[in-house]
Amino acid sequence: MAAALGAVILAKGASACSLALVLALDVSASVDPDEFALQQKGLGAALRSDAVAQAIVAQGGIWLTAYEWSGKRHQYEQFPWTFLDTESAVLEAANAIAGTRRLAEDFPTSLGFALSHGLGLLRDAPEACTRRVIDVSSDGESNDGFSPATAYKEWDMDGITVNALVIEEPRSDIASYYRERVIHGPGAFVEVADGFEDYERAMRRKLLREIGVMAFAQVRR
């Protein structure tokens, strides 16, 4: 598995850091306690999977941070900027995120504010990386504060990619909203989870694509 995975990793560039990745996790009122647990545990499991851990190490390491977001003034750190360059470091990050306690609930979905917070984190990143990515996970549309379009208009997002992991329920089509109004920048894409129970699988695929695995679609679902 390791040899096959290494063959599809993008070559590391001249920069000492290939990727600064910000994980932005929706904890708004639509996310109940059980769904929050599935989100955190699913993200932790995706990070600690052999495929993702090996991909991170093969890139020479990445910078990672994570925060929860909901209302306009409710963005809270889950995991500080940390350089992950060994499988043990990835495991520690995965366990820390999986065990994070929720700090906000019963607030609306302020996606514009969430994006501006992610941008601020990227500006304060410890190192200038070749790629800068905000990875937004959410189950709903923005319904509070300014819109994603306003965030992109008012702040310099040049060279920054915003991807989305959308948690869809039966008869919903949130993915279209994220494709049309949220994702932004070079190579931006949407990954869809079929409910929170599918979060781990979708996040694993998404992380592999963001880290730089060209054959992400061949990874076991």
Side-chain angles (χ1 to χ4, degrees):
M1 174 66 179
L5 183 61
V8 296
I9 302 292
L10 290 174
K12 188 182 175 208
S15 172
C17 168
S18 64
L19 173 66
L21 179 60
V22 176
L23 302 176
L25 306 169
D26 182 358
V27 299
S28 59
S30 62
V31 180
D32 67 30
D34 290 339
E35 291 169 340
F36 174 78
L38 286 169
Q39 177 173 261
Q40 298 304 129
K41 292 177 181 178
L43 173 53
L47 276 169
R48 72 170 69 93
S49 69
D50 288 344
V52 172
Q54 290 168 11
I56 290 172
V57 173
Q59 284 285 358
I62 67 170
W63 282 100
L64 181 75
T65 188
Y67 66 98
E68 68 172 56
W69 62 273
S70 53
K72 291 184 286 188
R73 298 176 180 83
H74 303 94
Q75 301 91 33
Y76 301 110
E77 179 180 277
Q78 288 194 356
F79 187 73
W81 277 119
T82 303
F83 191 64
L84 309 180
D85 60 347
T86 65
E87 291 191 29
S88 62
V90 176
L91 178 61
E92 288 181 12
N95 290 342
I97 292 171
T100 298
R101 182 175 62 88
R102 185 176 189 164
L103 295 178
E105 55 185 303
D106 296 330
F107 291 102
T109 306
S110 301
L111 188 48
F113 281 85
L115 290 171
S116 65
H117 185 78
L119 175 60
L121 289 173
L122 283 174
R123 286 175 174 169
D124 294 336
E127 187 176 353
C129 298
T130 303
R131 291 182 297 126
R132 298 178 293 164
V133 177
I134 300 174
D135 178 335
V136 177
S137 297
S138 182
D139 69 340
E141 300 181 8
S142 187
N143 57 23
D144 184 52
F146 56 83
S147 67
T150 299
Y152 296 140
K153 180 179 179 180
E154 297 297 325
W155 284 277
D156 180 11
M157 302 287 285
D158 186 46
I160 293 174
T161 297
V162 177
N163 297 324
L165 191 161
V166 177
I167 304 100
E168 287 202 329
E169 300 297 338
R171 296 180 297 279
S172 71
D173 186 23
I174 305 300
S176 293
Y177 171 82
Y178 279 80
R179 290 190 185 99
E180 296 168 6
R181 304 189 187 186
V182 179
I183 62 172
H184 177 84
F189 66 94
V190 172
E191 184 72 43
V192 178
D194 184 14
F196 280 88
E197 294 80 3
D198 190 39
Y199 190 92
E200 177 186 341
R201 179 205 62 82
M203 178 57 79
R204 184 171 62 250
R205 283 171 54 87
K206 188 166 188 282
L207 288 171
L208 288 170
R209 188 168 182 178
E210 288 166 335
I211 293 163
V213 176
M214 292 185 293
F216 71 97
Q218 298 176 11
V219 176
R220 181 177 299 174
R221 295 174 67 90

